Amino acid sequence: MTAELIRGPVVEKAIKDEIIKEVHKIREQTGKRPGLSIILVGDNPVSRASALDKEKMAEELGFFSVVKSFPATINQEELIAVIHRFNSNNNIHAIRVQLPLPDYLDEHRVIEAVQPHKEVDGLHPANMGNLILGEEETHIPIAPLACLKMLTSINYDLKGKHAVVVGRSNIMGKPMSAILLQQDATVTTCHSRTANLPEVCYMADVLVVAIGRPQLVKKEWVKPGAVVIDVGINRVGDRVLGDVDFLKVSQVAGFITPPGEVGAMTDTMFMLNTLQSFKSIHHATFVQ
Ligand code: NAP
């Protein structure tokens, strides 16, 4: 068997086209547009590059964006006051505080200061809680949302399927397991202490891997015909490797995502959640 590829750029383009169309309609009908703010503290070059990428994508999609930079001398209360100002700004629908923050700041307190419906990364305890409760009023964290979009793109029906998630981080593995459960899959969550990991993976109809270990998942771990979603991004020399041995696993899987392509979709998922926030803030239904 040779797996069919689920291509991130194709899925991403379809989502971006939909966002552009919808934002265009919204602007025509209301004169408003989704707005996002990105808060940078200190001079982490990766954070800065990520903020600039989002600024560029926001423009491409017709959103308004503002990036606010602060030196690593801003104190916690000052930073929270900035967040409160964005919370009460009606033109801002999403607030991203770029992580990691310098050590002297308490990331949890800072994230919790963002109003849950404007915290579109889905990390706020209220959003995580609503996800577990199956409430619609939440933002699904962006990396698991990218995985879900990959599965939706092949019309995969998760009902009654066995989904195995390898990785239990708060940002990826745990919310992924909750989403799959919500979709009526039977879910097993694995981590670094899981016994017999290859055998557990082999039980999967859908295998989602997010561990940060280059090519750990081997061909022998994958049931023929399984759907394999590889979230891992591992830079090895000048190559990006996934957590799955892509070439070999492709020989047995039914569907597979190429290395790096799920991770590359997260900015688009951020924008999708920003649009959702706009719509819930303005309680709007727009003509599609
Ligand atoms: P993380 O916070 O480091 O979590 C890694 C998880 O993998 C942990 O739960 C860990 O188990 C588990 N793990 C590590 N080694 C393992 C092993 N040998 N066997 C089984 N489980 C193992 O990483 P993350 O943020 O979830 O990201 C995972 C991968 O996805 C990385 O390559 C990352 O670059 C990529 N990615 C992440 C995001 C994101 O938004 N986080 C987005 C795109 C791509 P323990 O809990 O027991 O330690």
Side-chain angles (χ1 to χ4, degrees), residues 208-241:
V208 181
V209 190
I211 49 182
R213 300 279 179 273
Q215 301 188 329
L216 184 85
V217 174
K218 307 295 180 216
K219 179 182 170 183
E220 296 71 28
W221 301 21
V222 175
K223 181 165 77 177
V227 178
V228 179
I229 308 288
D230 183 358
V231 186
I233 301 178
N234 305 288
R235 292 179 208 287
V236 180
D238 56 1
R239 292 200 301 158
V240 173
L241 299 178

Side-chain angles (χ1 to χ4, degrees), residues 50-264:
S50 163
L52 293 178
D53 285 348
K54 281 184 195 59
E55 219 181 1
K56 205 167 140 224
M57 190 182 287
E59 195 182 327
E60 183 194 337
L61 300 177
F63 291 17
F64 160 78
S65 72
V66 51
V67 177
K68 283 266 179 203
S69 299
F70 298 94
T73 48
I74 189 170
N75 70 38
Q76 179 120 331
E77 298 320 315
E78 287 165 337
L79 182 58
I80 287 177
V82 171
I83 292 170
H84 285 162
R85 281 201 292 279
F86 281 129
N87 279 341
S88 51
N89 181 336
N90 292 335
N91 295 318
I92 294 295
H93 310 95
I95 303 168
R96 152 71 71 94
V97 182
Q98 202 67 46
L99 302 179
L101 287 171
D103 286 346
Y104 71 92
L105 294 167
D106 179 342
E107 280 185 4
H108 291 288
R109 271 201 59 211
V110 170
I111 299 291
E112 282 174 32
V114 180
Q115 268 180 20
H117 58 270
K118 294 192 178 187
E119 194 285 300
V120 302
D121 286 289
L123 305 178
H124 193 289
N127 285 326
M128 281 283 179
N130 280 337
L131 178 66
I132 302 291
L133 294 172
E135 296 288 339
E136 281 184 12
E137 276 296 305
T138 188
H139 294 297
I140 297 178
I142 55 181
L145 183 58
C147 298
L148 184 60
K149 294 293 177 189
M150 290 296 220
L151 290 168
T152 311
S153 76
I154 57 166
N155 294 319
Y156 192 80
D157 185 3
L158 285 155
K159 259 187 216 75
K161 298 290 186 341
H162 189 175
V164 174
V165 179
V166 192
R168 59 171 166 181
S169 66
N170 288 338
I171 202 166
M172 179 52 224
K174 281 182 198 162
M176 188 74 235
S177 294
I179 292 163
L180 292 165
L181 190 61
Q182 204 64 43
Q183 304 277 325
D184 294 330
T186 301
V187 183
T188 303
T189 309
C190 304
H191 45 80
S192 64
R193 310 296 168 88
T194 296
N196 308 321
L197 184 61
E199 286 86 341
V200 179
C201 289
Y202 197 83
M203 295 193 307
D205 300 307
V206 177
L207 181 61
V208 181
V209 190
I211 49 182
R213 300 279 179 273
Q215 301 188 329
L216 184 85
V217 174
K218 307 295 180 216
K219 179 182 170 183
E220 296 71 28
W221 301 21
V222 175
K223 181 165 77 177
V227 178
V228 179
I229 308 288
D230 183 358
V231 186
I233 301 178
N234 305 288
R235 292 179 208 287
V236 180
D238 56 1
R239 292 200 301 158
V240 173
L241 299 178
D243 291 338
V244 172
D245 185 348
F246 174 69
L247 289 180
K248 300 249 173 66
V249 171
S250 295
Q251 296 168 7
V252 291
F255 289 90
I256 190 166
T257 59
E261 292 196 359
V262 177

